[in-house]
Amino acid sequence: MLKLKGVESGYDLLQVLWDVELEVDEGEFVAILGPNGAGKTTTLRTIAGYVRALKGSIEFNGKSIVGLEPHRVSRLGIGYVSESSNLFAGMSIHENLLVGAYTVKNKQLIASQVDLVFELFPRLHERRNQLAGTLSGGERKMLAIARGLMPSPSLLLVDEPSLGLAPIPTLAAFEALKQLSQRGTTILLVEQNVNTTLHLVDRAYVLEQGKVVLEGTGPQLLSNKDVQEAYLGI
Amino acid sequence: MTTATATNLKQVPLLRRYLNLTSAILVVAAAAMIVVSIQNPSLLVNTLATGGMWALMAGGLALVFGVMNIPSFVHGDLFMVGTLVALFVFTPIQSMIQDAPNDFVLKWLGPFAGMILAFILGAVIGVLMELLLFRQLRRRSREQWVMNTFLLTAGLSIMFENVAMMAFGNLPQGISRYWDVPPIDVLGVPVAMDRLVTFIVAMGTLAVFALFLQRSRTGRAMRAVSMDETGAQMAGIGLTRIYQLTLALSCGLAALAGAVLIWLTPFTPTVGASPLLIAWYVVILAGLGNVQGAVVGAFLVAMVQQLTGYYLALNWVDVLPTGIIILVLLFKPSGLFGSEVKGVWEQ
Ligand SMILES: Nc1ncnc2c1ncn2[C@@H]1O[C@H](COP(=O)(O)OP(=O)(O)OP(=O)(O)O)[C@@H](O)[C@H]1O
Ligand SMILES: [Mg+2]
């Protein structure tokens, strides 16, 4: 479904990604792990079109998406939930969801999609008229994921849903992603919570200094010596 | 947790929650207006008519600043273009009306033709400005954006005014009235038809404008862009189209205001200077980029102007609003309706 080949990308004066190879198949739940500054966020931003790939190819369902504007990538069915959420602070939860469904023309479909995400996040339903700017950190993450789900993307890119969350909301966020994956959404997740993530996902890539240094299934990586030493503290 | 927040809210005394500078000023203004309108109803009529037009100007200015971060100084020249369109469209219609005084459709609806065309031409100019100037600038650099766009619009304004002067001269050209009918009786007060229509057009346009921003899919997208461009793009909203629409709408509204008000302010190349200043007073008073506040602020400023003009002297009408703005900014630097939440239609 998603295929990155030899992707190099970065910012004005700094190349961050070097020859990144990455693949996500339909229905898979895949994670990108790695230390701070490894380029995980940059990878997602490059796929979503916010950072332009300097080299290499990015294919989605067999078609190149390199150089597309971010909103075009979104319209192809690639949802992106960023690290900082990028919510509309002055709008209510409900309105944030409505904007999330901007590309959906059918009113009934929007309503049923709203019901679906409220079912996934009952807490958002309780507070549907509260302004997004006044939500707690955990509620913001939930809303960011919920908004990303509104157009029913076939691939969802999620950047650190656990960032800044206490253990219990973190589990809730992971639980929601698991449910989504079971319902058939393909997910590419960036995480720091290595242990929990490896128990959750089908496959994972380890990114270090802009290069993929390891890849494998959850159990494979959990039993890998390097991963145990560097990330699990065993 | 939910109950805790709920009780906390209740414990804030009602009085203190609503007793702030903004509501105090609004209450004083409303009271002043009531007293004045009993004494002199025509002041009320003038406040509502001109206030409505300043609201169209200031609303558009606030929209462009809120969505695109452009402090526009070319807004007044769209007002000028509006007066020109009205002049050139209405003059032939006027002679047609004189030739056929019994054609009631022409007599009553004819004047609207110029207003509608002014809106359309204003919108087209807005789209062209986005396409030829702001998009090109954005593509090259977003650094110092506010300063650069300020200079760009200020320069553009000088161009507009000089071209208008070359083409149409320096002398005022206007019409004495759109509707050649006796004043209409509104609640016992005779009101000139033009004044009444000015008020009705303002209210109608503002209502549609508000509804559009609040309820429509595109209006919502505009507000989304004003709050978080990245978030809007994530939702599949194309920024370029929203920018184009924003400029079209705001320039269209300014030109409409010019066309509607030509009976009061005849065309000269610099007829837009004063509406531009007033719109800026209003936008600064209300809080930059807040359309809702700008609409309310426009009526406040119009009221202060009318009162000053009537009780003090006409050449004081710009002094008092500026004085009030200085005072407001001293005590509430974010403006009357300003808050930390950035958005074009949020309090
Ligand atoms: N806008 C930017 N301009 C310049 N450099 C940037 C920019 N954003 C990120 N970088 C740099 O790119 C590198 C990779 O950043 P990135 O955000 O992709 O890391 P990450 O793996 O997501 O890290 P973290 O786990 O801390 O979120 C870092 O060295 C960072 O400083
Ligand atoms: Mg990151």
Side-chain angles (χ1 to χ4, degrees):
Chain A
M1 177 177 240
L2 180 75
K3 203 174 200 168
L4 275 69
K5 263 200 207 151
V7 169
E8 313 212 335
S9 110
Y11 306 93
D12 285 342
L13 297 172
L14 175 76
Q15 181 164 348
V16 176
L17 300 185
W18 303 86
D19 195 24
V20 169
E21 308 267 330
L22 188 149
E23 214 177 319
V24 184
D25 282 333
E26 183 114 39
E28 257 193 323
F29 192 169
V30 176
I32 302 177
L33 306 169
N36 292 119
K40 307 180 296 294
T41 300
T42 306
T43 309
L44 293 194
R45 287 172 61 84
T46 307
I47 300 170
Y50 293 92
V51 178
R52 208 191 156 105
L54 306 165
K55 240 186 183 177
S57 72
I58 307 175
E59 283 183 2
F60 180 63
N61 291 331
K63 279 208 303 218
S64 168
I65 58 168
V66 177
L68 285 189
E69 281 181 89
H71 71 279
R72 302 258 167 230
V73 176
S74 155
R75 288 181 191 183
L76 289 176
I78 301 182
Y80 171 42
V81 179
S82 64
E83 231 168 346
S84 54
S85 296
N86 295 101
L87 296 175
F88 308 122
M91 291 187 190
S92 67
I93 288 185
H94 187 239
E95 247 196 328
N96 266 274
L97 295 179
L98 292 182
V99 176
Y102 178 75
T103 49
V104 186
K105 296 273 157 63
N106 182 336
K107 286 240 159 86
Q108 268 176 322
L109 203 63
I110 296 177
S112 70
Q113 209 49 29
V114 169
D115 289 343
L116 184 109
V117 298
F118 278 160
E119 190 190 314
L120 209 57
F121 301 103
R123 183 147 185 99
L124 294 183
H125 186 230
E126 278 168 34
R127 307 181 157 248
R128 53 186 299 153
N129 292 321
Q130 191 175 328
L131 291 187
T134 63
L135 294 177
S136 79
E139 290 160 347
R140 269 174 222 215
K141 288 279 155 159
M142 291 181 207
L143 179 55
I145 298 174
R147 189 184 65 186
L149 290 176
M150 286 304 292
S152 342
S154 45
L155 169 67
L156 192 63
L157 314 171
V158 188
D159 200 348
E160 297 207 41
S162 68
L163 188 78
L165 294 194
I168 292 177
T170 301
L171 282 183
F174 281 150
E175 186 53 39
L177 289 176
K178 198 166 138 193
Q179 273 191 40
L180 267 179
S181 162
Q182 281 161 359
R183 290 179 196 211
T185 309
T186 312
I187 302 178
L188 179 58
L189 170 72
V190 163
E191 252 307 327
Q192 302 265 11
N193 251 318
V194 175
N195 196 0
T196 327
T197 308
L198 285 178
H199 281 100
L200 189 73
V201 298
D202 301 321
R203 273 187 323 117
Y205 292 86
V206 178
L207 203 63
E208 277 175 16
Q209 296 182 21
K211 298 189 184 79
V212 175
V213 292
L214 264 177
E215 72 166 287
T217 64
Q220 273 172 359
L221 290 179
L222 276 169
S223 57
N224 180 295
K225 266 259 159 6
D226 295 337
V227 173
Q228 286 183 346
E229 263 176 35
Y231 299 103
L232 302 175
I234 299 175
Chain B
M1 268 201 296
T2 325
T3 45
T5 12
T7 37
N8 281 345
L9 266 186
K10 259 183 223 142
Q11 278 162 0
V12 179
L14 259 184
L15 201 64
R16 208 188 307 155
R17 237 195 302 159
Y18 291 106
L19 198 76
N20 54 37
L21 186 69
T22 306
S23 19
I25 290 181
L26 288 183
V27 167
V28 170
M33 211 61 244
I34 290 169
V35 172
V36 167
S37 55
I38 292 169
Q39 273 191 341
N40 187 341
S42 77
L43 276 185
L44 179 68
V45 174
N46 285 347
T47 298
L48 292 177
T50 52
M53 288 300 130
W54 301 156
L56 292 186
M57 287 289 294
L61 199 62
L63 189 71
V64 173
F65 190 81
V67 175
M68 305 180 69
N69 273 313
I70 296 175
S72 176
F73 275 78
V74 70
H75 213 58
D77 300 293
L78 282 131
F79 185 93
M80 180 266 287
V81 169
T83 60
L84 269 180
V85 175
L87 195 65
F88 280 95
V89 175
F90 186 64
T91 313
I93 291 180
Q94 197 170 29
S95 55
M96 276 156 72
I97 293 174
Q98 272 157 7
D99 290 344
N102 292 325
D103 189 340
F104 283 102
V105 177
L106 188 67
K107 184 171 177 179
W108 286 103
L109 297 184
F112 289 110
M115 302 180 193
I116 293 167
L117 278 174
F119 179 84
I120 294 173
L121 185 69
V124 170
I125 294 177
V127 169
L128 288 178
M129 268 173 15
E130 197 279 331
L131 193 73
L132 301 176
L133 297 174
F134 299 118
R135 191 181 302 181
Q136 310 307 327
L137 179 62
R138 195 167 49 242
R139 202 175 282 158
R140 280 163 182 78
S141 143
R142 295 211 72 158
E143 262 167 62
Q144 301 275 327
W145 173 259
V146 175
M147 191 54 172
N148 285 340
T149 50
F150 158 68
L151 291 173
L152 195 63
T153 54
L156 201 59
S157 166
I158 294 172
M159 263 176 55
F160 263 101
E161 281 162 28
N162 283 290
V163 169
M165 186 150 63
M166 273 184 350
F168 308 104
N170 242 337
L171 296 174
Q173 303 171 53
I175 59 171
S176 52
R177 60 178 88 168
Y178 273 122
W179 284 276
D180 196 6
V181 292
I184 297 192
D185 192 88
V186 182
L187 302 172
V189 185
V191 180
M193 186 64 193
D194 280 46
R195 235 161 260 251
L196 191 64
V197 172
T198 303
F199 173 67
I200 293 171
V201 170
M203 288 303 139
T205 314
L206 284 174
V208 173
F209 184 44
L211 223 57
F212 165 77
L213 277 180
Q214 241 169 344
R215 294 287 154 79
S216 77
R217 176 172 165 272
T218 312
R220 212 175 253 137
M222 241 177 219
R223 283 156 53 216
V225 171
S226 82
M227 286 182 240
D228 195 311
E229 294 195 346
T230 308
Q233 286 178 295
M234 286 174 186
I237 298 170
L239 297 183
T240 316
R241 207 180 75 92
I242 295 293
Y243 290 155
Q244 229 163 37
L245 251 162
T246 302
L247 271 174
L249 195 60
S250 100
C251 293
L253 288 178
L256 174 70
V260 174
L261 272 188
I262 191 175
W263 57 272
L264 187 68
T265 54
F267 161 83
T268 66
T270 54
V271 65
S274 160
L276 174 76
L277 272 188
I278 293 165
W280 269 108
Y281 291 161
V282 169
V283 166
I284 293 170
L285 179 75
L288 287 173
N290 180 331
V291 177
Q292 215 168 7
V295 170
V296 181
F299 285 98
L300 277 181
V301 169
M303 184 189 86
V304 175
Q305 284 184 316
Q306 291 295 331
L307 294 185
T308 335
Y310 185 74
Y311 289 107
L312 233 54
L314 266 179
N315 40 14
W316 281 78
V317 292
D318 283 343
V319 178
L320 231 60
T322 334
I324 290 178
I325 285 167
I326 292 173
L327 277 181
V328 167
L329 290 184
L330 276 180
F331 291 100
K332 203 162 180 297
S334 55
L336 277 185
F337 303 94
S339 69
E340 289 93 80
V341 176
K342 182 179 173 270
V344 290
W345 196 262
E346 272 71 32
Q347 302 223 344

